Amino acid sequence: MMQISAYGRLGKDPKFIQTASGKKMTAASLAVSLDLREGGETLDGTQWLNLVAFEKLADLLARHKQGELVNIFGRCQLSRYQGKDGETRETLTVVVDGLVSARTTRPGGGKRKAPKQDGQRRTGEAEPFQDDEISF
């Protein structure tokens, strides 16, 4: 088994899929920038990875959009298939075990609530700090 960690931008909006057995699955592609060196010269390159996430990670990945930065880690699977032209092709797919977004993701996708204008605190908010309460 090969493990991978990659940081890049989503190539397309992730596609949410319900499998025949009822499992949640999301498929996406990730563009990872590579610095390649050839003959003493540095070349910029891009490696495309296919991503597949299941259940809770499928829900998390499905909330993202094309172009967003994500950091993923997971297990690599190399697949070989015959193209329409008869050529044998290989594709690298990462089964996502973890995902960290470059943006803040809140449950429900909500935004942070602004403080009340009249100086009142929201429920559960701590008392304001007072300098004269320090005992040293």
Side-chain angles (χ1 to χ4, degrees), residues 2 4 33 42 61 64 68 72 90 92 98 111 118 127:
M2 183 169 59
I4 187 170
S33 296
T42 302
L61 182 57
H64 291 80
E68 290 185 342
I72 59 97
E90 293 181 341
L92 187 63
K111 292 184 178 181
D118 58 0
E127 290 287 326

Side-chain angles (χ1 to χ4, degrees), residues 9-69:
R9 292 192 181 274
L10 293 174
K12 296 180 186 174
D13 286 343
K15 182 179 178 184
F16 185 78
I17 304 162
Q18 191 87 17
T19 66
S21 64
K23 249 186 177 180
K24 297 177 192 175
M25 181 176 117
T26 298
S29 60
L30 185 71
V32 179
S33 296
L34 300 175
D35 290 330
L36 306 171
R37 292 195 168 81
E38 187 176 296
E41 152 181 356
T42 302
L43 307 169
D44 290 330
T46 301
Q47 175 67 51
W48 286 93
L49 301 173
N50 294 315
L51 307 179
V52 177
F54 295 95
E55 299 301 333
K56 289 182 182 178
L57 288 170
D59 291 334
L60 182 60
L61 182 57
R63 288 189 216 163
H64 291 80
K65 301 287 181 206
Q66 177 181 354
E68 290 185 342
L69 288 165

Side-chain angles (χ1 to χ4, degrees), residues 81-99:
Y81 64 94
Q82 290 280 5
K84 290 180 182 178
D85 58 1
E87 293 288 320
T88 301
R89 301 189 194 282
E90 293 181 341
T91 181
L92 187 63
T93 301
V94 178
V95 178
V96 178
D97 291 326
L99 178 126

